[in-house]
Amino acid sequence: MSKPSILVARAIFPEVLNQLQQVFDVDHNQDDVVMSPAELHARMKGKVGALTTGSERIDGPLLHACPGLKIVANMAVGYNNFDVDAMTKAGVLATNTPDVLTETTADFGFALLMATARRVTESEHFLRDGKWTKWSYDMFAGAEVHGSTVGIIGMGRIGQGIARRAAHGFGMQVLYHNRSRLSPELELECKSRYVDKTTLLREADHVVLVVPYSAASHHTIGANELAQMKPTATLINIARGGIVDDAALAKALKDRRIAAAGLDVFEGEPQVHPELLTVPNVVLTPHIASATVKTRMAMAQLAADNLMDYLLRGQTRTPINPEVCA
Ligand code: GLV
């Protein structure tokens, strides 16, 4: 009997690919060439499933061209590359990889906050460039982390992980803003206080963005919001490009409207706004918040398990639109 055909749209761990090859006829991309939408359409045709990352857009035209498609499993917790409504209408199950990356991503959010506040990369460049000729009292003096106030926008699982690290590990005051308030038990556990966005921007020494991308969260932070922050504040984005207006941020950093930023995600990545590359007071990383070997392996395995469970057994693990199976 022939095996069901799937597409693995980007390179993944060979051991996970091997598991998929045992049970599916796999069209893979271990050369890791990023496909244009037209190439993706062509390769997806005739497939019943696909394993994608954030770089493949699954939308109405693609679904129309692939009537046999049953599931697309994203190897990411975020799924703004999916048009979920169109997938649901087309009867295509969408899955993501929540939970397995929560703590790792919260670790990275904190690492970026520390590196930004304490000017780690800026000072390293100074040293590597041979500019360190003497010690001086204010050399790379940054912002305090312990005992300061962090404001978290987006208090889902990762936001809560950052709150716990901040409150319990660094004695920080934690303010948060979210679509809905946490239960009193969770607020207590995260030692976090719910405030409106304006209060958060005005009072936080460090603003951390962990909100999912949607039309409603586009440019959550733009020139207006940056103007409300303390001039000594830092801004950390581990959420998605587009949550911050990068052009407005570059200007605010250049004008020292805020002290510094740490960015793991960018509008139009892997392109980075050229002005961000010229300002010293920003730490830039290439979308690696979940990148530990263990966590990336767990994400790949969960995406593969989603495909195998659904296509071979009709079961779901981490569905985004479970109503498709009803
Ligand atoms: C990474 O950005 C993810 O959404 O998992």
Side-chain angles (χ1 to χ4, degrees):
M1 215 174 73
S2 67
K3 297 187 225 166
S5 291
I6 65 162
L7 173 70
V8 177
R10 296 290 305 276
I12 55 164
F13 293 95
E15 45 276 64
V16 176
L17 181 62
N18 187 42
Q19 288 173 42
L20 292 169
Q21 285 172 320
Q22 307 290 314
V23 290
F24 298 122
D25 181 9
V26 182
D27 177 7
H28 66 72
N29 181 14
Q30 288 302 82
D31 290 340
D32 210 28
V33 179
V34 179
M35 294 181 216
S36 67
E39 285 161 346
L40 185 67
H41 279 212
R43 299 266 299 259
M44 204 93 134
K45 266 199 182 138
K47 307 292 191 315
V48 290
L51 192 154
T52 54
T53 66
S55 47
E56 290 77 42
R57 173 110 193 109
I58 306 298
D59 55 13
L62 179 134
L63 296 164
H64 188 71
C66 305
L69 195 63
K70 292 192 166 62
I71 171 173
V72 184
N74 222 26
M75 186 185 144
V77 67
Y79 48 85
N80 52 303
N81 57 316
F82 285 180
D83 180 339
V84 177
D85 286 345
M87 292 175 78
T88 305
K89 263 191 215 123
V92 174
L93 183 70
T95 67
N96 65 341
T97 56
D99 301 323
V100 293
L101 50 60
T102 301
E103 298 302 328
T104 301
T105 304
D107 281 350
F108 189 83
F110 221 86
L112 202 50
L113 190 162
M114 297 284 285
T116 304
R118 300 302 307 274
R119 305 174 66 179
V120 171
T121 56
E122 192 185 348
S123 60
E124 186 187 346
H125 287 139
F126 172 86
L127 182 152
R128 284 182 187 271
D129 291 346
K131 293 179 181 160
W132 187 26
T133 54
K134 62 179 186 344
W135 180 92
S136 57
Y137 76 99
D138 61 349
M139 190 165 69
F140 294 106
E144 209 68 87
V145 175
H146 74 274
S148 65
T149 298
V150 65
I152 302 172
I153 300 186
M155 198 63 157
R157 289 164 287 217
I158 298 168
Q160 290 167 33
I162 291 170
R164 286 192 189 93
R165 282 159 179 76
H168 300 292
F170 288 79
M172 295 166 85
Q173 278 71 249
V174 181
L175 308 178
Y176 78 97
H177 185 69
N178 199 42
R179 261 177 319 188
S180 50
R181 223 178 135 159
L182 298 184
S183 67
E185 296 74 34
L186 261 183
E187 280 190 354
L188 200 65
E189 198 185 309
C190 297
K191 288 198 177 173
S192 303
R193 183 159 65 86
Y194 180 84
V195 290
D196 60 43
K197 189 174 150 192
T198 305
T199 305
L200 185 147
L201 292 171
R202 223 175 29 221
E203 293 186 5
D205 298 305
H206 309 284
V207 174
V208 182
L209 303 170
V210 210
V211 70
Y213 182 80
S214 68
S217 64
H218 182 75
H219 287 185
T220 295
I221 301 291
N224 278 344
E225 289 74 19
L226 290 161
Q228 294 171 56
M229 290 171 65
K230 295 182 184 179
T232 49
T234 66
L235 175 72
I236 309 300
N237 186 9
I238 56 164
R240 272 292 180 274
I243 302 284
V244 174
D245 176 345
D246 285 350
L249 175 61
K251 180 162 181 354
L253 290 168
K254 208 171 188 168
D255 299 348
R256 303 278 165 171
R257 181 59 212 74
I258 64 167
L263 308 174
D264 187 48
V265 287
F266 304 87
E267 288 189 288
E269 65 186 51
Q271 305 303 317
V272 174
H273 192 288
E275 293 284 317
L276 285 173
L277 297 170
T278 67
V279 285
N281 45 341
V282 60
V283 178
L284 306 168
T285 53
H287 203 146
I288 56 166
S290 65
T292 65
V293 177
K294 188 172 167 210
T295 292
R296 284 284 164 88
M297 178 58 130
M299 291 164 69
Q301 186 64 57
L302 180 52
D305 287 342
N306 269 308
L307 284 168
M308 293 188 285
D309 278 357
Y310 192 58
L311 290 173
L312 305 177
R313 293 176 277 281
Q315 291 165 3
T316 61
R317 248 173 224 242
T318 50
I320 296 163
N321 56 351
E323 60 272 32
V324 160
C325 317

